Amino acid sequence: MQRKLLIAGNWKMNTTHDEAVALASSLVEKVGTIEELDIAVCPPFPYLFAVGEVIKNSNIALGAQDVFYEDNGAYTGEVSAAMLKDANCKFVICGHSERRHIIGESDELINRKLLKSIAEGLFPILCVGELLTERQAGETMEVVSQQVTRGLEGVSAAVMKSVTIAYEPVWAIGTGVNATPDQAEQVQAMIRQLIGQIYDSTIAKQIRILYGGSVKPSNASELLACPDIDGALVGGASLKADDFCEIINRGLEVSRE
Ligand code: PEP
């Protein structure tokens, strides 16, 4: 099955308003009409509306970096899924490793966020990935399977098509050291097999599994060519329009092969 690649940029806590608008404008100009693959950008919350305005007539979708699971109320600092819909977000990242390991988010919390996102009609990107110590201890498959299984608790087969999974080994995020295509493919294939066990083989074939962790123009082609890598979640390189566009162009080449 040919799955449409998704290249998503996670801007993290970067850019000013003007930089965010300039970056988005540059992307619209360079890759805004591409239809062969899906493109998304996830700016910081305060710039969602401004970036949304810039990309609104392009094929670039808007995503958020996080969400809360309640509808509204006394949750200081949190942002609801309905608010993200209101800001025209399509995607939302759930369980990014920086939220797991810096903020301390648990699988249970991430699962609640994911369920709420789906209920509101958003497309969550569930991030999973092992720490370096876990890889060195031979625990990668166990850690990642647990994160996938717990993250998807209560997600029915009927709505599973709205979920994207991103395998992001923590040791590869922001370090410049990417997983090799073999290392990534091994884990991504395991995730797809697990989805087949939890749901069925049709869903396993449909679901997009992205790779994230130091994706850049120089390694994008070999990573995106792996059979179980259906796109990339890009951090650092998504802040430079030229680099992000080059990754998108590598994705285009792969999807045309
Ligand atoms: C990320 O933030 O999801 C990420 C993969 O970052 P980087 O590309 O900078 O490693």
Side-chain angles (χ1 to χ4, degrees):
M1 170 180 294
Q2 182 74 10
R3 291 174 292 270
K4 197 174 184 187
L5 298 186
L6 166 62
I7 310 289
N10 172 14
W11 295 0
K12 311 194 188 191
M13 198 172 72
N14 291 299
T15 73
T16 60
H17 168 276
D18 291 357
E19 286 165 354
V21 167
L23 178 53
S25 306
S26 181
L27 296 178
V28 168
E29 192 187 309
K30 292 172 203 276
V31 294
T33 57
I34 290 175
E35 289 181 345
E36 287 157 275
L37 44 76
D38 290 330
I39 303 169
V41 291
C42 305
F45 287 138
Y47 310 139
L48 283 173
F49 277 98
V51 170
E53 200 50 37
V54 175
I55 62 177
K56 72 177 178 199
N57 294 319
S58 76
N59 284 320
I60 303 172
L62 193 62
Q65 299 174 21
D66 190 29
V67 63
F68 196 57
Y69 57 79
E70 291 288 357
D71 289 325
N72 49 50
Y75 303 103
T76 303
E78 296 297 340
V79 172
S80 72
M83 291 171 185
L84 297 183
K85 283 293 282 182
D86 215 11
N88 282 322
C89 284
K90 176 174 183 184
F91 295 100
V92 58
I93 298 173
C94 294
H96 190 279
S97 74
E98 284 146 18
R99 298 206 62 85
R100 288 180 187 268
H101 299 295
I102 300 173
I103 314 288
E105 289 196 2
S106 64
D107 285 319
E108 192 206 353
L109 174 60
I110 294 160
N111 173 247
R112 294 180 80 172
K113 292 180 173 195
L114 185 118
L115 290 170
K116 187 67 193 176
S117 302
I118 297 171
E120 286 292 335
L122 290 162
F123 290 74
I125 301 174
L126 171 65
C127 297
V128 297
E130 80 288 1
L131 296 163
L132 182 59
T133 47
E134 291 166 338
R135 175 161 282 266
Q136 287 166 339
E139 295 165 359
T140 299
M141 297 304 193
E142 198 186 316
V143 167
V144 172
S145 322
Q146 194 164 299
Q147 290 172 341
V148 171
T149 310
R150 291 183 178 169
L152 294 176
E153 189 88 43
V155 177
S156 69
V159 297
M160 194 48 199
K161 58 181 174 307
S162 61
V163 177
T164 297
I165 295 174
Y167 169 56
E168 301 205 299
V170 181
W171 48 271
I173 297 182
T175 59
V177 181
N178 58 286
T180 64
D182 277 356
Q183 285 173 321
E185 173 59 24
Q186 261 185 18
V187 182
Q188 316 239 159
M190 179 280 289
I191 294 172
R192 199 175 304 285
Q193 204 181 7
L194 180 61
I195 299 296
Q197 284 161 16
I198 302 174
Y199 298 96
D200 58 43
S201 60
T202 308
I203 292 176
K205 279 184 203 141
Q206 285 168 346
I207 198 98
R208 275 197 291 215
I209 307 175
L210 313 184
Y211 166 78
S214 298
V215 175
K216 43 196 172 223
S218 59
N219 60 21
S221 297
E222 54 176 16
L223 286 162
L224 294 172
C226 293
D228 288 295
I229 297 185
D230 309 313
L233 183 53
V234 185
S238 72
L239 292 168
K240 294 183 197 133
D242 285 347
D243 283 1
F244 193 56
C245 292
E246 211 172 316
I247 292 168
I248 290 165
N249 285 323
R250 297 288 86 81
L252 264 183
E253 285 164 13
V254 168
S255 47
R256 283 174 185 159
E257 274 165 14

